[in-house]
Amino acid sequence: MKNIIVEVENEIAVVTISREKSLNALNSETLAELKECFENIAARKDVRVLILTGAGKKAFVAGADISEMVNATPAEGRKMGMLAKEAFMLLETMPQVTIAAVNGYALGGGCEISMACDIRIASDNAKFGQPEVGLGILPGFGGTQRLARLVGKGRAKEIIFTCDQIDAQEAYRIGLANKVVPQDELLDTCKSMAEKIMSKGSYAISLAKEAINTGLETDLASGLTLEADLFGLSFSTADKKEGMTAFLEKRKANLTDF
Ligand code: CAA
C-alpha cells in the first residue's frame, strides 16, 4: 500500500494514513487502499481493535484531496463519494472496535472518517470541521448524515453552514470527541482503552456494536427486538458460561470468543 501503513501488534491494528505533505488528504487511491484494508481487517480473528490515525503531528486528515477534486466531473465526484461510502461503511460495521486517534486537523473527509469510528480520542491540538460549503460543495463522505446523528441536527447544521473549526475541548463538550489528551499521550491512551476493551468479551462487544448501530437506524420497538435477539445469541457462547461462572466463583473471567 502506498498511502497507508498497517501495523498489527497484540491484537491491535494501527492504521496510519500517510500523506503528510498534503496533511493526509484523502485521494481516490487512498480511499481504495483504506477500503481494501478495512475489508482485510474485518475478516481477521487476530485483530480485535483498530486504531486509525494520521501521519505527523499536524493533521489527522485535512479532508478529501482538493487537488484531485478541482477538475473532477460530476460523475467523478459521485464515484469518489461512493468509494468513501463503501470504505467508511466497512469501517463502521466491522466486528472489531474502532478508535480514531485524532492527532490534529480533522476537516471535511477527515472529520467524516473519524465519525465512522466507534470512538474518537482527540489530541489537544485537534481541530474538527466541515469546510466544504466554503469550497462550493457539500460534505460528501457522510458529514451530513453522521454529524447530525452524533451531535444533533441543530449543531450539525451550524458546523456545516458556518465552516467553523471546532477545537478539541469544544468537540468533547458537544460529544464529537470522547476524550481529549496531550498529543504525546494520544496513541498510548488509545492503546490502553483498546486493552481495557479487549479484556471484555469481544464477541459480546461486536453484538452490542451491531445492536447500537442498527438499532439507532430503526424504531425503538424493532431496536429492542434486535437487542433481545442478540442478547439471546450471546447465551450460546463459551464466554457467557465462563463470564457468569467466574463471577459466581469470585475469580477473573477469561473471555476468548471472537
Ligand atoms: N487537499 C489537498 N491538499 C491539501 C488539503 C486537502 N484537503 N489540505 C491541505 N493540503 C495541502 C496544502 O495544499 C499544502 O500543500 P503545499 O505544501 O503543496 O502548498 C499542504 O497540504 C499544507 O497545507 P497548508 O499550507 O494549507 O497548511 P496550513 O497550516 O496553512 O493550513 C489547514 C492547514 C487549515 C488544514 C489547511 O491546509 C486547509 O484548510 N486545508 C483544507 C481543508 C479542507 O477544506 N478540507 C475539506 C476538503 S473537501 C472534503 O473533504 C469533501 C468531503 O466531504 C469529502
Side-chain angles (χ1 to χ4, degrees):
M1 301 246 183
K2 212 169 107 192
N3 304 288
I4 63 175
I5 300 162
V6 183
E7 295 155 296
V8 178
E9 201 183 351
N10 302 328
E11 300 186 290
I12 301 172
V14 178
V15 177
T16 306
I17 299 168
S18 182
R19 300 186 72 224
E20 207 176 331
K21 282 201 180 118
S22 51
L23 304 186
N24 307 319
L26 299 173
N27 59 5
S28 296
E29 189 179 53
T30 309
L31 289 170
E33 289 181 12
L34 286 169
K35 185 180 168 199
E36 189 184 332
C37 162
F38 297 152
E39 236 159 15
N40 288 340
I41 288 179
R44 283 179 74 153
K45 292 286 172 204
D46 61 335
V47 172
R48 291 198 287 153
V49 175
L50 182 158
I51 297 173
L52 181 70
T53 195
K57 286 182 175 282
K58 188 167 167 182
F60 171 69
V61 169
D65 192 317
I66 299 169
S67 62
E68 178 179 342
M69 291 186 296
V70 64
N71 293 316
T73 63
E76 286 162 348
R78 185 168 196 278
K79 196 170 165 197
M80 202 176 180
M82 290 304 284
L83 178 57
K85 176 195 160 189
E86 288 161 17
F88 295 10
M89 287 284 287
L90 284 165
L91 179 62
E92 188 162 52
T93 59
M94 67 170 60
Q96 291 88 349
V97 172
T98 57
I99 303 175
V102 181
N103 56 316
Y105 289 110
L107 302 177
C111 185
E112 290 168 309
I113 197 170
S114 82
M115 292 191 292
C117 292
D118 297 317
I119 291 163
R120 280 150 297 287
I121 311 231
S123 60
D124 45 13
N125 67 325
K127 291 239 166 44
F128 293 81
Q130 297 287 162
E132 289 87 347
V133 299
L135 297 166
I137 56 172
L138 70 155
F141 293 179
T144 62
Q145 304 303 305
R146 292 194 178 93
L147 187 60
R149 281 163 171 77
L150 260 176
V151 304
K153 202 164 151 183
R155 281 211 172 96
K157 285 180 177 169
E158 183 184 341
I159 291 166
I160 290 170
F161 298 170
T162 63
C163 303
D164 281 350
Q165 285 184 13
I166 294 171
D167 67 24
Q169 285 302 339
E170 176 67 358
Y172 173 70
R173 197 184 68 80
I174 65 172
L176 186 52
N178 295 64
K179 211 186 254 285
V180 181
V181 297
Q183 185 166 48
D184 57 3
E185 293 170 21
L186 180 62
L187 219 50
D188 283 348
T189 305
C190 293
K191 284 182 179 169
S192 51
M193 185 183 278
E195 271 152 26
K196 183 187 272 189
I197 288 168
M198 292 190 309
S199 73
K200 313 297 178 196
S202 289
Y203 183 62
I205 288 174
S206 75
L207 296 181
K209 172 168 169 169
E210 188 183 338
I212 295 167
N213 281 353
T214 310
L216 277 177
E217 300 308 320
T218 186
D219 62 284
L220 180 62
S222 308
L224 291 170
T225 301
L226 172 68
E227 186 188 73
D229 289 343
L230 297 177
F231 181 62
L233 178 59
S234 70
F235 280 51
S236 67
T237 61
D239 274 0
K240 178 255 183 186
K241 190 156 185 44
E242 163 64 9
M244 293 194 181
T245 306
F247 174 80
L248 295 172
E249 292 175 354
K250 302 190 187 310
R251 62 174 173 81
K252 197 173 175 300
N254 178 26
L255 305 177
T256 54
D257 281 326
F258 186 45

